[in-house]
Amino acid sequence: MSHAPQPSGPFRYGDRVQLTGPKGKLHTITLREGGQLHTHRGVLRHDMLVGLPDGSVVRNSSETEYLALRPLLRDFVMSMPRGAAIVYPKDAAQILTQADIFPGAIVVEAGVGSGALSLWLLRAIGPEGRLVSFERREEFADVARANATAFLGESPQNWQIVIGDLADALPPSFPSGAVDRVVLDMLAPWECIDAVADALVPGGVVLCYVATATQLSRVAEFIRGTGLFTEPESSETMVRGWHVEGLAVRPDHRMVAHTGFLLTARRLAPGAVPPDVRRRGVRKTAYGDEDVEAWTPGAVGDREITDKNLRRRARDAQRAADGAQQAAQGRRAAHEAQNGSA
């Protein structure tokens, strides 16, 4: 079991290329025969890039310069077609760390969204690991599959997407204690904790990614109430860039602040009772209608995508996937020809 090698060498048709123009303006294109990038600054033909090495500078019809690079994974997930909101790179990095995703791990993910976190997980577990993603909507799964193929050049053999609710679909998918890590990116992760506890190996990690403090509170209390996990730990990640030019060194005026909370806990051994954790003050453990309202998609900022837009984004993702597969086949053919001549 192996993934297609990451693209390298000269640009080929089917490759995804990130073009940086004046004032840092980014354009991400998939190279196609006869393709052109049209902007108010002129036209750049795709064939001008074919055969050039990564990191080249090209000029369009009006002599505007563009830096051409293959996008890094962080660049790809920020520009790929989206069916649902993505997990941003700053949170994906923390998820890999806090959930301790390791090569060869068996990982469960819910939901799959547009496939951004899935790509990071696949990279971390390597070809010997296994990722099973649970998603309620087939349309989102289609976009995620196409995005993964577009980046990797082929559909990963060690990745399975199961359509259905995790709470119902996880138990028949894995025997008890067979899963190393579980990552829950969903509106109500507490609904799945019982199934997750049964699937996790003792010492395994569950990580919940939630948007609001109310969600964070409820899932933490639910996990505590099961008595099956260690004391949950919570955090958020904020990234602030810096402007560095000569002696002009200062924080950027804008920063990527709150996107979500991360909560982690580890599965206890069967029958184990954790030491009592003393907590001061009165904790609210009951929830009323006003709390439930705070967990609705509208209240947490989720925006519904129309079916028309979703179909368009699925087509965009599939076109990118087809191009990536074409480029990957070309690289394999060139590699085989080179080895044969040698």
Side-chain angles (χ1 to χ4, degrees), residues 186-239:
M186 55 199 308
L187 189 64
W190 50 88
E191 295 177 352
C192 303
I193 294 300
D194 290 336
V196 167
D198 183 66
L200 272 175
V201 65
V205 178
V206 59
L207 183 145
C208 302
Y209 180 57
V210 295
T212 70
T214 314
Q215 291 171 294
L216 179 67
S217 173
R218 182 165 188 185
V219 70
E221 293 300 336
F222 192 97
I223 288 175
R224 286 192 184 105
T226 66
L228 301 175
F229 293 88
T230 59
E231 175 68 9
E233 299 179 0
S234 307
S235 66
E236 66 175 335
T237 304
M238 290 180 277
V239 175

Coordinates of all heavy atoms in Angstrom, one line a residue, residues 186-239:
M186 N -17.6 18.0 14.6 CA -19.0 18.0 14.4 C -19.7 18.8 15.3 O -19.2 19.3 16.3 CB -19.5 16.5 14.5 CG -19.1 15.9 15.8 SD -19.1 14.0 15.8 CE -20.8 13.7 15.2
L187 N -21.0 19.0 15.1 CA -21.8 20.0 15.9 C -22.0 19.5 17.3 O -22.0 20.3 18.3 CB -23.1 20.2 15.2 CG -24.0 21.4 15.8 CD1 -23.3 22.7 15.7 CD2 -25.4 21.4 15.1
A188 N -22.3 18.2 17.5 CA -22.7 17.6 18.8 C -21.8 16.4 19.1 O -22.3 15.3 19.0 CB -24.2 17.3 18.9
P189 N -20.5 16.5 19.3 CA -19.7 15.4 19.5 C -20.1 14.5 20.7 O -19.8 13.3 20.7 CB -18.3 16.0 19.7 CG -18.5 17.4 20.1 CD -19.8 17.8 19.4
W190 N -20.7 15.1 21.7 CA -21.1 14.3 22.9 C -22.1 13.1 22.5 O -22.2 12.1 23.2 CB -21.8 15.2 23.9 CG -22.9 16.1 23.4 CD1 -24.2 15.8 23.3 CD2 -22.7 17.4 22.9 NE1 -24.9 16.8 22.7 CE2 -24.0 17.8 22.5 CE3 -21.6 18.2 22.8 CZ2 -24.2 19.1 21.9 CZ3 -21.8 19.5 22.2 CH2 -23.1 19.9 21.8
E191 N -22.8 13.3 21.4 CA -23.7 12.2 21.0 C -22.9 10.9 20.5 O -23.5 9.9 20.5 CB -24.6 12.7 19.8 CG -25.5 13.8 20.2 CD -26.3 14.3 19.0 OE1 -26.0 13.9 17.8 OE2 -27.2 15.1 19.2
C192 N -21.6 11.1 20.3 CA -20.9 9.9 19.8 C -19.9 9.4 20.8 O -19.2 8.4 20.5 CB -20.1 10.3 18.5 SG -21.1 11.0 17.2
I193 N -19.8 10.0 22.0 CA -18.7 9.6 22.9 C -18.8 8.2 23.4 O -17.8 7.5 23.5 CB -18.7 10.6 24.1 CG1 -18.3 12.0 23.6 CG2 -17.8 10.1 25.2 CD1 -17.0 12.1 23.0
D194 N -20.0 7.7 23.6 CA -20.2 6.3 24.0 C -19.6 5.3 23.0 O -18.9 4.3 23.3 CB -21.6 6.0 24.3 CG -22.2 6.7 25.5 OD1 -21.3 7.0 26.4 OD2 -23.4 6.9 25.6
A195 N -19.9 5.5 21.7 CA -19.4 4.7 20.6 C -17.9 4.8 20.5 O -17.2 3.8 20.3 CB -20.1 5.0 19.3
V196 N -17.4 6.0 20.7 CA -16.0 6.3 20.6 C -15.2 5.6 21.7 O -14.2 4.9 21.5 CB -15.7 7.8 20.7 CG1 -14.2 8.1 20.9 CG2 -16.1 8.5 19.4
A197 N -15.8 5.6 22.9 CA -15.2 5.0 24.1 C -15.0 3.5 23.8 O -14.0 2.8 24.2 CB -16.0 5.2 25.3
D198 N -16.0 2.8 23.2 CA -16.0 1.4 23.0 C -14.9 1.1 21.9 O -14.2 0.1 22.0 CB -17.3 0.9 22.5 CG -17.3 -0.6 22.3 OD1 -17.2 -1.3 23.3 OD2 -17.5 -1.0 21.1
A199 N -14.8 1.9 20.9 CA -13.9 1.7 19.8 C -12.4 1.9 20.1 O -11.5 1.3 19.6 CB -14.2 2.5 18.6
L200 N -12.1 2.9 21.0 CA -10.8 3.2 21.3 C -10.0 2.2 22.1 O -10.5 1.5 23.0 CB -10.7 4.5 22.1 CG -10.7 5.9 21.4 CD1 -10.8 7.0 22.3 CD2 -9.5 6.0 20.5
V201 N -8.7 2.0 21.8 CA -7.8 1.2 22.6 C -7.5 1.9 23.9 O -7.5 3.1 24.0 CB -6.5 1.0 21.8 CG1 -5.8 2.3 21.6 CG2 -5.6 0.0 22.4
P202 N -7.3 1.2 25.0 CA -6.9 1.8 26.2 C -5.7 2.7 26.0 O -4.7 2.3 25.5 CB -6.6 0.7 27.2 CG -7.5 -0.4 26.7 CD -7.5 -0.3 25.2
G203 N -5.8 4.0 26.5 CA -4.7 4.9 26.2 C -4.9 5.7 25.0 O -4.2 6.7 24.7
G204 N -5.9 5.3 24.1 CA -6.2 6.0 22.9 C -6.7 7.4 23.2 O -7.2 7.7 24.3
V205 N -6.6 8.3 22.2 CA -7.0 9.7 22.3 C -8.2 10.0 21.5 O -8.4 9.6 20.3 CB -5.8 10.6 21.8 CG1 -6.2 12.1 21.9 CG2 -4.6 10.3 22.6
V206 N -9.2 10.7 22.1 CA -10.3 11.4 21.4 C -10.0 12.9 21.4 O -9.6 13.4 22.5 CB -11.6 11.0 22.0 CG1 -11.7 11.5 23.5 CG2 -12.8 11.7 21.2
L207 N -10.2 13.5 20.3 CA -10.1 14.9 20.2 C -11.3 15.5 19.5 O -11.8 15.0 18.5 CB -8.9 15.3 19.3 CG -8.6 16.8 19.2 CD1 -7.1 17.1 19.1 CD2 -9.3 17.4 17.9
C208 N -11.9 16.5 20.2 CA -13.1 17.2 19.7 C -12.7 18.6 19.2 O -12.1 19.3 20.0 CB -14.2 17.2 20.8 SG -14.7 15.6 21.4
Y209 N -13.2 19.0 18.1 CA -13.0 20.3 17.5 C -14.3 21.0 17.4 O -15.2 20.6 16.7 CB -12.3 20.2 16.1 CG -12.1 21.5 15.4 CD1 -11.3 22.5 16.0 CD2 -12.6 21.8 14.1 CE1 -11.0 23.7 15.3 CE2 -12.3 22.9 13.5 CZ -11.5 23.9 14.1 OH -11.3 25.1 13.4
V210 N -14.6 22.0 18.3 CA -15.9 22.6 18.4 C -15.7 24.1 18.3 O -14.6 24.7 18.5 CB -16.6 22.3 19.7 CG1 -16.9 20.8 19.7 CG2 -15.8 22.7 20.9
A211 N -16.8 24.8 17.9 CA -16.7 26.2 17.6 C -17.0 27.2 18.8 O -16.4 28.2 18.8 CB -17.6 26.6 16.4
T212 N -17.9 26.8 19.6 CA -18.3 27.7 20.7 C -18.0 27.2 22.1 O -17.8 26.0 22.3 CB -19.8 27.9 20.6 OG1 -20.5 26.7 21.0 CG2 -20.3 28.2 19.2
A213 N -17.9 28.1 23.0 CA -17.7 27.8 24.4 C -18.8 26.9 25.0 O -18.5 26.0 25.9 CB -17.5 29.0 25.2
T214 N -20.0 27.1 24.5 CA -21.1 26.3 25.0 C -20.9 24.8 24.6 O -21.1 23.9 25.4 CB -22.4 26.8 24.5 OG1 -22.5 28.2 24.7 CG2 -23.6 26.2 25.3
Q215 N -20.6 24.6 23.4 CA -20.3 23.2 22.9 C -19.1 22.6 23.7 O -19.2 21.5 24.1 CB -19.9 23.2 21.4 CG -21.0 23.6 20.5 CD -20.5 23.7 19.1 OE1 -19.7 24.7 18.8 NE2 -20.9 22.8 18.2
L216 N -18.1 23.4 23.9 CA -16.9 23.0 24.7 C -17.3 22.5 26.1 O -16.9 21.4 26.5 CB -15.9 24.1 24.7 CG -14.6 23.8 25.5 CD1 -13.8 22.7 24.8 CD2 -13.8 25.0 25.7
S217 N -18.1 23.3 26.7 CA -18.6 23.0 28.1 C -19.4 21.7 28.1 O -19.1 20.8 28.9 CB -19.4 24.1 28.6 OG -20.0 23.8 29.9
R218 N -20.3 21.5 27.2 CA -21.1 20.3 27.2 C -20.3 19.0 26.9 O -20.5 18.0 27.6 CB -22.3 20.4 26.2 CG -23.2 19.2 26.3 CD -24.5 19.3 25.7 NE -25.3 18.2 26.0 CZ -26.5 17.9 25.5 NH1 -27.1 18.8 24.7 NH2 -27.2 16.9 25.8
V219 N -19.4 19.1 25.9 CA -18.7 17.8 25.6 C -17.7 17.5 26.7 O -17.5 16.3 27.1 CB -18.0 18.0 24.2 CG1 -16.8 18.9 24.3 CG2 -17.5 16.6 23.8
A220 N -17.1 18.5 27.4 CA -16.2 18.3 28.5 C -17.0 17.6 29.7 O -16.5 16.6 30.3 CB -15.6 19.6 29.0
E221 N -18.2 18.1 30.0 CA -18.9 17.5 31.1 C -19.4 16.1 30.8 O -19.4 15.3 31.6 CB -20.1 18.4 31.4 CG -19.7 19.8 32.0 CD -19.0 19.6 33.3 OE1 -19.1 18.6 34.0 OE2 -18.2 20.6 33.7
F222 N -19.8 15.9 29.5 CA -20.2 14.6 29.1 C -19.1 13.6 29.2 O -19.3 12.5 29.8 CB -20.7 14.6 27.7 CG -21.5 13.3 27.3 CD1 -22.9 13.3 27.4 CD2 -20.8 12.2 26.9 CE1 -23.6 12.1 27.0 CE2 -21.5 11.0 26.6 CZ -22.9 11.0 26.7
I223 N -17.9 14.0 28.8 CA -16.8 13.1 28.9 C -16.4 12.8 30.3 O -16.2 11.6 30.7 CB -15.5 13.7 28.1 CG1 -15.8 13.6 26.6 CG2 -14.2 13.0 28.5 CD1 -14.7 14.2 25.8
R224 N -16.5 13.8 31.2 CA -16.2 13.6 32.6 C -17.3 12.6 33.2 O -16.9 11.7 34.0 CB -16.3 14.9 33.4 CG -15.1 15.8 33.2 CD -15.2 16.9 34.2 NE -14.1 17.9 34.0 CZ -14.2 19.1 33.4 NH1 -15.4 19.5 33.1 NH2 -13.2 19.9 33.3
G225 N -18.5 12.8 32.8 CA -19.6 12.0 33.3 C -19.5 10.5 33.0 O -20.1 9.7 33.7
T226 N -18.8 10.2 31.9 CA -18.7 8.7 31.5 C -17.8 8.0 32.5 O -18.0 6.8 32.7 CB -18.2 8.6 30.1 OG1 -16.8 9.0 30.0 CG2 -19.0 9.4 29.1
G227 N -16.8 8.6 33.1 CA -15.9 7.9 33.9 C -14.9 7.0 33.1 O -14.2 6.2 33.7
L228 N -14.9 7.2 31.8 CA -14.1 6.3 30.9 C -12.9 6.9 30.4 O -12.1 6.3 29.7 CB -15.0 5.8 29.8 CG -16.3 5.1 30.1 CD1 -17.1 4.8 28.8 CD2 -15.9 3.8 30.8
F229 N -12.7 8.2 30.7 CA -11.6 9.0 30.1 C -10.8 9.7 31.2 O -11.3 10.0 32.3 CB -12.1 10.0 29.1 CG -12.7 9.4 27.9 CD1 -14.0 9.0 27.8 CD2 -11.9 9.1 26.7 CE1 -14.6 8.5 26.7 CE2 -12.4 8.6 25.6 CZ -13.8 8.2 25.6
T230 N -9.6 10.2 30.8 CA -8.9 11.1 31.7 C -9.5 12.4 31.7 O -10.4 12.7 30.9 CB -7.4 11.2 31.2 OG1 -7.5 11.7 29.9 CG2 -6.7 9.9 31.2
E231 N -9.1 13.3 32.6 CA -9.7 14.7 32.7 C -9.4 15.4 31.3 O -8.3 15.4 30.8 CB -9.0 15.4 33.8 CG -9.4 16.9 33.9 CD -10.8 17.1 34.3 OE1 -11.5 16.1 34.7 OE2 -11.3 18.2 34.3
P232 N -10.5 15.9 30.7 CA -10.3 16.5 29.4 C -9.5 17.8 29.5 O -9.6 18.5 30.5 CB -11.8 16.8 28.9 CG -12.6 16.7 30.2 CD -11.9 15.8 31.1
E233 N -8.7 18.1 28.5 CA -7.9 19.3 28.4 C -8.4 20.1 27.2 O -8.6 19.5 26.1 CB -6.4 18.9 28.2 CG -5.9 18.1 29.4 CD -4.4 17.8 29.2 OE1 -3.8 18.1 28.2 OE2 -3.8 17.1 30.1
S234 N -8.5 21.4 27.3 CA -9.0 22.3 26.3 C -8.1 23.4 26.0 O -7.3 23.9 26.8 CB -10.4 22.9 26.7 OG -11.3 21.8 27.2
S235 N -8.1 23.8 24.7 CA -7.2 25.0 24.3 C -7.8 25.5 23.0 O -8.7 25.0 22.3 CB -5.8 24.5 24.1 OG -5.8 23.6 23.0
E236 N -7.3 26.7 22.6 CA -7.5 27.3 21.3 C -6.2 27.8 20.8 O -5.2 28.0 21.6 CB -8.5 28.4 21.3 CG -8.1 29.6 22.1 CD -9.1 30.8 22.0 OE1 -9.9 30.8 21.0 OE2 -9.2 31.6 22.9
T237 N -6.0 28.0 19.5 CA -4.8 28.4 18.9 C -5.0 29.7 18.1 O -5.9 29.8 17.3 CB -4.3 27.3 17.9 OG1 -4.1 26.1 18.6 CG2 -2.9 27.7 17.4
M238 N -4.2 30.7 18.4 CA -4.2 31.9 17.7 C -2.8 32.2 17.1 O -1.8 32.1 17.8 CB -4.7 33.1 18.6 CG -6.1 33.0 19.0 SD -6.7 34.3 20.1 CE -6.2 33.6 21.7
V239 N -2.8 32.6 15.9 CA -1.6 32.8 15.2 C -1.5 34.3 14.8 O -2.4 34.8 14.1 CB -1.5 31.9 13.9 CG1 -0.2 32.3 13.1 CG2 -1.5 30.5 14.3

